[in-house]
Amino acid sequence: MESFFHANFWEMILRTTLSFFVLLILARVLGKKQLGQLTFFHYITGITFGSIASEIASQTETPFLDGMISLIWWGALTYLMTIITIKSKKARVLIDDKPTIVIQNGLILESALRKNRLHMDELTMMLREQAIFSVQDVQYALLETTGRLSVLPKPTEQSATKQDVKADVTPPTYIPTEVASDGQVIYENLVELELTEDWLMKKLKKQNIQSVEDVFFAQVQANGSLYVSLKDKARRSSP
């Protein structure tokens, strides 16, 4: 028992040490990126590196040399893909994809959200993380290949604030709140704002929208106005 313990103990120490340094060398060779800069490809590659290294270090049933060859070859393939993406824009788009515009000129692009499997709750959350509570304030929003959202506010939102020009600052009437999504009224949010469906329909009709089914996203603004983004089909058919 004692000899078995010693044999396995030193074997695991050796396997773990070698795996650690090989992983360290590969990480240095492949370059450095912050976690927030990782594309999906690099994220999955990093997880696989860790999985292979842990398999080598902890599983005595895995032949050490076979595991090490697998780890090094995976690193070589990753390095090769990185070089190819640097040299070729087409390969870069194929492997890492490209940024997608999800809001353009203040309008939500429903097809872009659907393509990226992103729903409105996620989009509005990502906007709030950048201190933007109203979609109406956005000129462009791009979903980056890292999964982060880059936002260009409208010019009016980039200018001097009321505090800068010493204007009278009054508290907002509402916090920007979603009241319709994908053709359906969100009644609980209307109730919370002390508004009614009749109020919503009147606001829609003022914008020549006859049915809530044509609405992809509607949001009550801080001043009580209504921001509306139509579904792609309704937008194409509108005059």
Side-chain angles (χ1 to χ4, degrees), residues 3 7-8 20 25 28 36 40 57 60 62 72 76 81 84 99 104-105 114 117 119 161 185 195 199 217 239:
S3 61
N8 276 271
F20 174 84
I25 292 169
R28 293 290 293 171
F40 183 73
T60 55
T62 302
I72 294 172
M81 289 297 103
I84 291 174
Q104 185 174 30
N105 295 323
R114 190 163 51 246
R117 293 173 292 282
H119 55 70
T161 64
V185 178
L195 299 172
W199 175 92
F217 179 78

PDB file of all heavy atoms in Angstrom, residues 3 7-8 20 25 28 36 40 57 60 62 72 76 81 84 99 104-105 114 117 119 161 185 195 199 217 239:
ATOM      1  N   SER A   3       4.044   1.490  -0.994  1.00  0.00           N
ATOM      2  CA  SER A   3       4.766   1.626  -2.266  1.00  0.00           C
ATOM      3  C   SER A   3       3.836   2.103  -3.368  1.00  0.00           C
ATOM      4  O   SER A   3       4.221   2.894  -4.228  1.00  0.00           O
ATOM      5  CB  SER A   3       5.401   0.291  -2.658  1.00  0.00           C
ATOM      6  OG  SER A   3       4.397  -0.705  -2.830  1.00  0.00           O
ATOM      7  N   ALA A   7       4.342   5.549  -5.469  1.00  0.00           N
ATOM      8  CA  ALA A   7       4.452   5.498  -6.928  1.00  0.00           C
ATOM      9  C   ALA A   7       3.438   6.434  -7.575  1.00  0.00           C
ATOM     10  O   ALA A   7       3.764   7.222  -8.464  1.00  0.00           O
ATOM     11  CB  ALA A   7       4.248   4.057  -7.416  1.00  0.00           C
ATOM     12  N   ASN A   8       2.193   6.349  -7.122  1.00  0.00           N
ATOM     13  CA  ASN A   8       1.151   7.197  -7.682  1.00  0.00           C
ATOM     14  C   ASN A   8       1.342   8.654  -7.299  1.00  0.00           C
ATOM     15  O   ASN A   8       1.067   9.552  -8.100  1.00  0.00           O
ATOM     16  CB  ASN A   8      -0.228   6.722  -7.206  1.00  0.00           C
ATOM     17  CG  ASN A   8      -0.761   5.594  -8.063  1.00  0.00           C
ATOM     18  OD1 ASN A   8      -1.427   5.823  -9.059  1.00  0.00           O
ATOM     19  ND2 ASN A   8      -0.429   4.373  -7.675  1.00  0.00           N
ATOM     20  N   PHE A  20       1.264  21.723 -16.131  1.00  0.00           N
ATOM     21  CA  PHE A  20       1.195  23.138 -15.749  1.00  0.00           C
ATOM     22  C   PHE A  20       2.124  23.983 -16.620  1.00  0.00           C
ATOM     23  O   PHE A  20       1.718  25.020 -17.158  1.00  0.00           O
ATOM     24  CB  PHE A  20       1.565  23.285 -14.268  1.00  0.00           C
ATOM     25  CG  PHE A  20       1.658  24.708 -13.806  1.00  0.00           C
ATOM     26  CD1 PHE A  20       0.520  25.397 -13.412  1.00  0.00           C
ATOM     27  CD2 PHE A  20       2.883  25.362 -13.762  1.00  0.00           C
ATOM     28  CE1 PHE A  20       0.601  26.714 -12.985  1.00  0.00           C
ATOM     29  CE2 PHE A  20       2.979  26.677 -13.343  1.00  0.00           C
ATOM     30  CZ  PHE A  20       1.835  27.354 -12.947  1.00  0.00           C
ATOM     31  N   ILE A  25       3.364  27.696 -21.134  1.00  0.00           N
ATOM     32  CA  ILE A  25       4.100  28.042 -22.360  1.00  0.00           C
ATOM     33  C   ILE A  25       3.140  28.282 -23.515  1.00  0.00           C
ATOM     34  O   ILE A  25       3.285  29.254 -24.284  1.00  0.00           O
ATOM     35  CB  ILE A  25       5.107  26.915 -22.706  1.00  0.00           C
ATOM     36  CG1 ILE A  25       6.219  26.858 -21.651  1.00  0.00           C
ATOM     37  CG2 ILE A  25       5.704  27.138 -24.094  1.00  0.00           C
ATOM     38  CD1 ILE A  25       7.100  25.633 -21.758  1.00  0.00           C
ATOM     39  N   ARG A  28       1.449  31.614 -23.247  1.00  0.00           N
ATOM     40  CA  ARG A  28       2.341  32.713 -23.626  1.00  0.00           C
ATOM     41  C   ARG A  28       2.497  32.795 -25.148  1.00  0.00           C
ATOM     42  O   ARG A  28       2.524  33.875 -25.721  1.00  0.00           O
ATOM     43  CB  ARG A  28       3.708  32.518 -22.966  1.00  0.00           C
ATOM     44  CG  ARG A  28       3.707  32.640 -21.463  1.00  0.00           C
ATOM     45  CD  ARG A  28       3.478  34.060 -21.007  1.00  0.00           C
ATOM     46  NE  ARG A  28       4.613  34.916 -21.366  1.00  0.00           N
ATOM     47  CZ  ARG A  28       4.613  36.239 -21.243  1.00  0.00           C
ATOM     48  NH1 ARG A  28       3.518  36.855 -20.806  1.00  0.00           N
ATOM     49  NH2 ARG A  28       5.677  36.945 -21.561  1.00  0.00           N
ATOM     50  N   GLY A  36     -12.909  39.767 -21.278  1.00  0.00           N
ATOM     51  CA  GLY A  36     -13.965  40.444 -22.016  1.00  0.00           C
ATOM     52  C   GLY A  36     -13.690  40.569 -23.495  1.00  0.00           C
ATOM     53  O   GLY A  36     -14.583  40.906 -24.269  1.00  0.00           O
ATOM     54  N   PHE A  40     -16.011  33.804 -29.011  1.00  0.00           N
ATOM     55  CA  PHE A  40     -16.542  32.497 -28.623  1.00  0.00           C
ATOM     56  C   PHE A  40     -15.527  31.399 -28.932  1.00  0.00           C
ATOM     57  O   PHE A  40     -15.348  30.463 -28.147  1.00  0.00           O
ATOM     58  CB  PHE A  40     -17.852  32.235 -29.364  1.00  0.00           C
ATOM     59  CG  PHE A  40     -18.513  30.940 -28.989  1.00  0.00           C
ATOM     60  CD1 PHE A  40     -19.139  30.800 -27.761  1.00  0.00           C
ATOM     61  CD2 PHE A  40     -18.506  29.852 -29.853  1.00  0.00           C
ATOM     62  CE1 PHE A  40     -19.741  29.599 -27.401  1.00  0.00           C
ATOM     63  CE2 PHE A  40     -19.101  28.662 -29.509  1.00  0.00           C
ATOM     64  CZ  PHE A  40     -19.724  28.539 -28.278  1.00  0.00           C
ATOM     65  N   ALA A  57      -3.273  15.604 -15.900  1.00  0.00           N
ATOM     66  CA  ALA A  57      -2.749  15.716 -14.542  1.00  0.00           C
ATOM     67  C   ALA A  57      -3.416  14.759 -13.562  1.00  0.00           C
ATOM     68  O   ALA A  57      -2.764  14.255 -12.637  1.00  0.00           O
ATOM     69  CB  ALA A  57      -2.919  17.155 -14.040  1.00  0.00           C
ATOM     70  N   THR A  60      -4.693   8.835 -14.269  1.00  0.00           N
ATOM     71  CA  THR A  60      -3.535   7.967 -14.549  1.00  0.00           C
ATOM     72  C   THR A  60      -3.828   7.000 -15.690  1.00  0.00           C
ATOM     73  O   THR A  60      -2.897   6.455 -16.293  1.00  0.00           O
ATOM     74  CB  THR A  60      -3.170   7.165 -13.288  1.00  0.00           C
ATOM     75  OG1 THR A  60      -4.323   6.450 -12.828  1.00  0.00           O
ATOM     76  CG2 THR A  60      -2.674   8.087 -12.183  1.00  0.00           C
ATOM     77  N   THR A  62      -5.016   7.830 -18.483  1.00  0.00           N
ATOM     78  CA  THR A  62      -4.664   8.516 -19.728  1.00  0.00           C
ATOM     79  C   THR A  62      -3.156   8.461 -19.918  1.00  0.00           C
ATOM     80  O   THR A  62      -2.405   8.972 -19.081  1.00  0.00           O
ATOM     81  CB  THR A  62      -5.110   9.997 -19.682  1.00  0.00           C
ATOM     82  OG1 THR A  62      -6.513  10.058 -19.449  1.00  0.00           O
ATOM     83  CG2 THR A  62      -4.783  10.704 -20.992  1.00  0.00           C
ATOM     84  N   ILE A  72      -0.499  19.798 -26.945  1.00  0.00           N
ATOM     85  CA  ILE A  72       0.391  20.603 -27.794  1.00  0.00           C
ATOM     86  C   ILE A  72      -0.199  20.776 -29.189  1.00  0.00           C
ATOM     87  O   ILE A  72      -0.155  21.869 -29.774  1.00  0.00           O
ATOM     88  CB  ILE A  72       1.795  19.959 -27.868  1.00  0.00           C
ATOM     89  CG1 ILE A  72       2.461  20.010 -26.479  1.00  0.00           C
ATOM     90  CG2 ILE A  72       2.660  20.666 -28.897  1.00  0.00           C
ATOM     91  CD1 ILE A  72       3.752  19.239 -26.395  1.00  0.00           C
ATOM     92  N   ALA A  76      -1.194  24.104 -31.179  1.00  0.00           N
ATOM     93  CA  ALA A  76      -0.678  24.417 -32.515  1.00  0.00           C
ATOM     94  C   ALA A  76      -1.813  24.786 -33.473  1.00  0.00           C
ATOM     95  O   ALA A  76      -1.702  25.721 -34.263  1.00  0.00           O
ATOM     96  CB  ALA A  76       0.110  23.224 -33.054  1.00  0.00           C
ATOM     97  N   MET A  81      -4.913  28.886 -36.425  1.00  0.00           N
ATOM     98  CA  MET A  81      -6.157  29.603 -36.703  1.00  0.00           C
ATOM     99  C   MET A  81      -6.014  31.092 -36.413  1.00  0.00           C
ATOM    100  O   MET A  81      -6.550  31.937 -37.139  1.00  0.00           O
ATOM    101  CB  MET A  81      -7.299  29.026 -35.865  1.00  0.00           C
ATOM    102  CG  MET A  81      -7.767  27.643 -36.278  1.00  0.00           C
ATOM    103  SD  MET A  81      -8.453  27.596 -37.959  1.00  0.00           S
ATOM    104  CE  MET A  81      -7.079  26.857 -38.855  1.00  0.00           C
ATOM    105  N   ILE A  84      -4.097  32.647 -39.270  1.00  0.00           N
ATOM    106  CA  ILE A  84      -4.959  32.720 -40.460  1.00  0.00           C
ATOM    107  C   ILE A  84      -5.949  33.876 -40.342  1.00  0.00           C
ATOM    108  O   ILE A  84      -6.183  34.622 -41.302  1.00  0.00           O
ATOM    109  CB  ILE A  84      -5.706  31.386 -40.670  1.00  0.00           C
ATOM    110  CG1 ILE A  84      -4.724  30.293 -41.090  1.00  0.00           C
ATOM    111  CG2 ILE A  84      -6.803  31.530 -41.728  1.00  0.00           C
ATOM    112  CD1 ILE A  84      -5.326  28.913 -41.175  1.00  0.00           C
ATOM    113  N   PRO A  99     -19.173  41.888 -36.038  1.00  0.00           N
ATOM    114  CA  PRO A  99     -20.166  42.641 -35.255  1.00  0.00           C
ATOM    115  C   PRO A  99     -21.480  42.774 -36.019  1.00  0.00           C
ATOM    116  O   PRO A  99     -21.493  42.879 -37.241  1.00  0.00           O
ATOM    117  CB  PRO A  99     -19.498  44.009 -35.058  1.00  0.00           C
ATOM    118  CG  PRO A  99     -18.034  43.742 -35.213  1.00  0.00           C
ATOM    119  CD  PRO A  99     -17.923  42.652 -36.234  1.00  0.00           C
ATOM    120  N   GLN A 104     -30.339  50.549 -35.285  1.00  0.00           N
ATOM    121  CA  GLN A 104     -29.852  51.446 -36.331  1.00  0.00           C
ATOM    122  C   GLN A 104     -30.764  52.659 -36.426  1.00  0.00           C
ATOM    123  O   GLN A 104     -31.974  52.529 -36.610  1.00  0.00           O
ATOM    124  CB  GLN A 104     -29.810  50.721 -37.682  1.00  0.00           C
ATOM    125  CG  GLN A 104     -29.211  51.536 -38.809  1.00  0.00           C
ATOM    126  CD  GLN A 104     -29.068  50.710 -40.078  1.00  0.00           C
ATOM    127  OE1 GLN A 104     -29.844  49.805 -40.325  1.00  0.00           O
ATOM    128  NE2 GLN A 104     -28.055  51.009 -40.863  1.00  0.00           N
ATOM    129  N   ASN A 105     -30.165  53.836 -36.246  1.00  0.00           N
ATOM    130  CA  ASN A 105     -30.937  55.086 -36.267  1.00  0.00           C
ATOM    131  C   ASN A 105     -32.112  55.037 -35.299  1.00  0.00           C
ATOM    132  O   ASN A 105     -33.209  55.514 -35.581  1.00  0.00           O
ATOM    133  CB  ASN A 105     -31.438  55.384 -37.689  1.00  0.00           C
ATOM    134  CG  ASN A 105     -30.302  55.646 -38.653  1.00  0.00           C
ATOM    135  OD1 ASN A 105     -29.296  56.255 -38.281  1.00  0.00           O
ATOM    136  ND2 ASN A 105     -30.434  55.181 -39.875  1.00  0.00           N
ATOM    137  N   ARG A 114     -32.909  38.140 -33.830  1.00  0.00           N
ATOM    138  CA  ARG A 114     -33.270  36.737 -34.024  1.00  0.00           C
ATOM    139  C   ARG A 114     -32.060  35.932 -34.505  1.00  0.00           C
ATOM    140  O   ARG A 114     -31.842  34.804 -34.054  1.00  0.00           O
ATOM    141  CB  ARG A 114     -34.415  36.645 -35.032  1.00  0.00           C
ATOM    142  CG  ARG A 114     -35.027  35.263 -35.135  1.00  0.00           C
ATOM    143  CD  ARG A 114     -36.386  35.290 -35.808  1.00  0.00           C
ATOM    144  NE  ARG A 114     -36.355  36.007 -37.074  1.00  0.00           N
ATOM    145  CZ  ARG A 114     -36.993  37.146 -37.310  1.00  0.00           C
ATOM    146  NH1 ARG A 114     -37.717  37.713 -36.360  1.00  0.00           N
ATOM    147  NH2 ARG A 114     -36.918  37.732 -38.486  1.00  0.00           N
ATOM    148  N   ARG A 117     -29.922  35.181 -31.660  1.00  0.00           N
ATOM    149  CA  ARG A 117     -30.640  34.543 -30.557  1.00  0.00           C
ATOM    150  C   ARG A 117     -30.607  35.421 -29.296  1.00  0.00           C
ATOM    151  O   ARG A 117     -30.319  34.958 -28.193  1.00  0.00           O
ATOM    152  CB  ARG A 117     -30.076  33.149 -30.277  1.00  0.00           C
ATOM    153  CG  ARG A 117     -30.335  32.171 -31.411  1.00  0.00           C
ATOM    154  CD  ARG A 117     -29.639  30.860 -31.229  1.00  0.00           C
ATOM    155  NE  ARG A 117     -28.195  30.969 -31.340  1.00  0.00           N
ATOM    156  CZ  ARG A 117     -27.537  31.064 -32.482  1.00  0.00           C
ATOM    157  NH1 ARG A 117     -28.186  31.052 -33.628  1.00  0.00           N
ATOM    158  NH2 ARG A 117     -26.224  31.160 -32.506  1.00  0.00           N
ATOM    159  N   HIS A 119     -32.907  38.206 -27.086  1.00  0.00           N
ATOM    160  CA  HIS A 119     -34.255  38.739 -26.910  1.00  0.00           C
ATOM    161  C   HIS A 119     -34.188  40.129 -26.282  1.00  0.00           C
ATOM    162  O   HIS A 119     -33.141  40.584 -25.816  1.00  0.00           O
ATOM    163  CB  HIS A 119     -35.134  37.787 -26.103  1.00  0.00           C
ATOM    164  CG  HIS A 119     -34.592  37.396 -24.771  1.00  0.00           C
ATOM    165  ND1 HIS A 119     -34.503  38.275 -23.712  1.00  0.00           N
ATOM    166  CD2 HIS A 119     -34.103  36.216 -24.309  1.00  0.00           C
ATOM    167  CE1 HIS A 119     -34.003  37.670 -22.661  1.00  0.00           C
ATOM    168  NE2 HIS A 119     -33.748  36.422 -22.996  1.00  0.00           N
ATOM    169  N   THR A 161     -24.996  68.374 -20.803  1.00  0.00           N
ATOM    170  CA  THR A 161     -26.143  68.007 -19.988  1.00  0.00           C
ATOM    171  C   THR A 161     -26.805  69.258 -19.423  1.00  0.00           C
ATOM    172  O   THR A 161     -26.268  70.360 -19.506  1.00  0.00           O
ATOM    173  CB  THR A 161     -25.707  67.111 -18.817  1.00  0.00           C
ATOM    174  OG1 THR A 161     -24.833  67.871 -17.962  1.00  0.00           O
ATOM    175  CG2 THR A 161     -24.965  65.881 -19.323  1.00  0.00           C
ATOM    176  N   VAL A 185     -49.012  43.070 -25.455  1.00  0.00           N
ATOM    177  CA  VAL A 185     -48.989  44.084 -24.407  1.00  0.00           C
ATOM    178  C   VAL A 185     -48.472  43.469 -23.110  1.00  0.00           C
ATOM    179  O   VAL A 185     -48.835  42.349 -22.753  1.00  0.00           O
ATOM    180  CB  VAL A 185     -50.401  44.663 -24.174  1.00  0.00           C
ATOM    181  CG1 VAL A 185     -50.377  45.691 -23.048  1.00  0.00           C
ATOM    182  CG2 VAL A 185     -50.945  45.279 -25.454  1.00  0.00           C
ATOM    183  N   LEU A 195     -50.854  53.089 -16.003  1.00  0.00           N
ATOM    184  CA  LEU A 195     -51.339  53.392 -17.346  1.00  0.00           C
ATOM    185  C   LEU A 195     -52.287  52.273 -17.779  1.00  0.00           C
ATOM    186  O   LEU A 195     -52.333  51.216 -17.154  1.00  0.00           O
ATOM    187  CB  LEU A 195     -50.178  53.515 -18.329  1.00  0.00           C
ATOM    188  CG  LEU A 195     -49.163  54.627 -18.023  1.00  0.00           C
ATOM    189  CD1 LEU A 195     -47.957  54.532 -18.951  1.00  0.00           C
ATOM    190  CD2 LEU A 195     -49.819  56.000 -18.149  1.00  0.00           C
ATOM    191  N   TRP A 199     -54.730  53.834 -23.096  1.00  0.00           N
ATOM    192  CA  TRP A 199     -53.695  54.872 -23.249  1.00  0.00           C
ATOM    193  C   TRP A 199     -52.651  54.434 -24.283  1.00  0.00           C
ATOM    194  O   TRP A 199     -52.230  55.211 -25.138  1.00  0.00           O
ATOM    195  CB  TRP A 199     -53.029  55.133 -21.895  1.00  0.00           C
ATOM    196  CG  TRP A 199     -51.870  56.079 -21.948  1.00  0.00           C
ATOM    197  CD1 TRP A 199     -51.896  57.428 -21.768  1.00  0.00           C
ATOM    198  CD2 TRP A 199     -50.497  55.735 -22.185  1.00  0.00           C
ATOM    199  NE1 TRP A 199     -50.640  57.957 -21.899  1.00  0.00           N
ATOM    200  CE2 TRP A 199     -49.756  56.943 -22.152  1.00  0.00           C
ATOM    201  CE3 TRP A 199     -49.820  54.545 -22.422  1.00  0.00           C
ATOM    202  CZ2 TRP A 199     -48.382  56.978 -22.354  1.00  0.00           C
ATOM    203  CZ3 TRP A 199     -48.448  54.571 -22.632  1.00  0.00           C
ATOM    204  CH2 TRP A 199     -47.739  55.782 -22.590  1.00  0.00           C
ATOM    205  N   PHE A 217     -41.370  46.307 -30.264  1.00  0.00           N
ATOM    206  CA  PHE A 217     -40.952  46.785 -28.950  1.00  0.00           C
ATOM    207  C   PHE A 217     -41.515  48.178 -28.745  1.00  0.00           C
ATOM    208  O   PHE A 217     -41.417  49.030 -29.622  1.00  0.00           O
ATOM    209  CB  PHE A 217     -39.429  46.813 -28.849  1.00  0.00           C
ATOM    210  CG  PHE A 217     -38.903  47.314 -27.529  1.00  0.00           C
ATOM    211  CD1 PHE A 217     -38.898  46.488 -26.422  1.00  0.00           C
ATOM    212  CD2 PHE A 217     -38.405  48.598 -27.394  1.00  0.00           C
ATOM    213  CE1 PHE A 217     -38.410  46.933 -25.197  1.00  0.00           C
ATOM    214  CE2 PHE A 217     -37.911  49.057 -26.188  1.00  0.00           C
ATOM    215  CZ  PHE A 217     -37.910  48.219 -25.077  1.00  0.00           C
ATOM    216  N   PRO A 239     -46.076  53.124 -45.011  1.00  0.00           N
ATOM    217  CA  PRO A 239     -45.775  54.115 -46.038  1.00  0.00           C
ATOM    218  C   PRO A 239     -44.542  54.926 -45.693  1.00  0.00           C
ATOM    219  O   PRO A 239     -44.191  55.070 -44.563  1.00  0.00           O
ATOM    220  CB  PRO A 239     -47.030  54.983 -46.046  1.00  0.00           C
ATOM    221  CG  PRO A 239     -47.662  54.781 -44.704  1.00  0.00           C
ATOM    222  CD  PRO A 239     -47.331  53.385 -44.294  1.00  0.00           C
TER     223      PRO A 239
END
